[in-house]
Amino acid sequence: MTDDDPMAGQPTPAALRALASRTLSLVAMQSDRMVSEGLARLDARKWHYAALVALREGGPVSQAELSRRTGIYRSDLVAVINELAERGHVERSPDPADRRRNVIRLTARGREHLDRLQEVVTSLQDELLAPLTPAEREQFSDLLTRIYQHHACR
């Protein structure tokens, strides 16, 4: 139960406890809050983390491609890139193949920052999934991915 839950302090009705969608939503809210608060301690947001991870794994890319890789809307991504560039975590430069596009690159400072963020995110994942064994964590992640992929294809 959370402070935002109107049922706080009262037994949750069985019909609500039986709804996987409700439980999943509650866990998602807790998870989002944990990650947002954890990253905020390093003056970062979840979209900063997503963009930096995508750049580390995929290398320099256009803003449009970074948007596709991260799921961040293009209009929102511009603000994320601006914030990361101001902090020296990424560089934006014209694409030599198409001067109308910008290519985004992870900097050495950005890699170091991402390493710190990764430590926080890993710790938060451990905290979130504490009640599960390592095998259960893997199974849980696999099941969530399968559900997501099933509905994302629609």
Side-chain angles (χ1 to χ4, degrees), residues 31-54 70 72-87 89 113-114 116-118 120-121 124:
S31 173
D32 190 57
R33 184 173 37 251
M34 287 172 65
V35 170
S36 293
E37 290 172 359
L39 292 175
R41 290 192 296 266
L42 294 177
D43 194 27
R45 297 183 295 122
K46 61 185 174 184
W47 293 131
H48 293 169
Y49 175 75
L52 294 172
V53 165
T70 60
I72 303 171
Y73 290 115
R74 287 184 191 191
S75 58
D76 294 334
L77 184 61
V78 171
V80 170
I81 292 169
N82 288 343
E83 291 169 1
L84 292 171
E86 287 171 8
R87 297 169 186 184
H89 299 152
H113 183 62
L114 179 55
R116 290 188 296 276
L117 295 180
Q118 188 61 57
V120 169
V121 169
L124 291 167

Side-chain angles (χ1 to χ4, degrees), residues 54-123:
L55 289 168
R56 180 180 61 195
E57 289 186 13
V61 299
S62 70
Q63 290 180 192
E65 180 58 27
L66 188 56
S67 173
R68 284 188 288 279
R69 288 183 187 178
T70 60
I72 303 171
Y73 290 115
R74 287 184 191 191
S75 58
D76 294 334
L77 184 61
V78 171
V80 170
I81 292 169
N82 288 343
E83 291 169 1
L84 292 171
E86 287 171 8
R87 297 169 186 184
H89 299 152
V90 300
E91 294 175 339
R92 180 189 286 135
S93 59
D95 183 342
D98 183 350
R99 307 292 278 171
R100 296 170 296 173
R101 292 189 324 186
N102 283 320
V103 173
I104 311 304
R105 288 178 176 75
L106 185 61
T107 65
R109 185 173 180 178
R111 279 185 190 78
E112 291 171 5
H113 183 62
L114 179 55
D115 288 344
R116 290 188 296 276
L117 295 180
Q118 188 61 57
E119 288 176 16
V120 169
V121 169
T122 298
S123 174

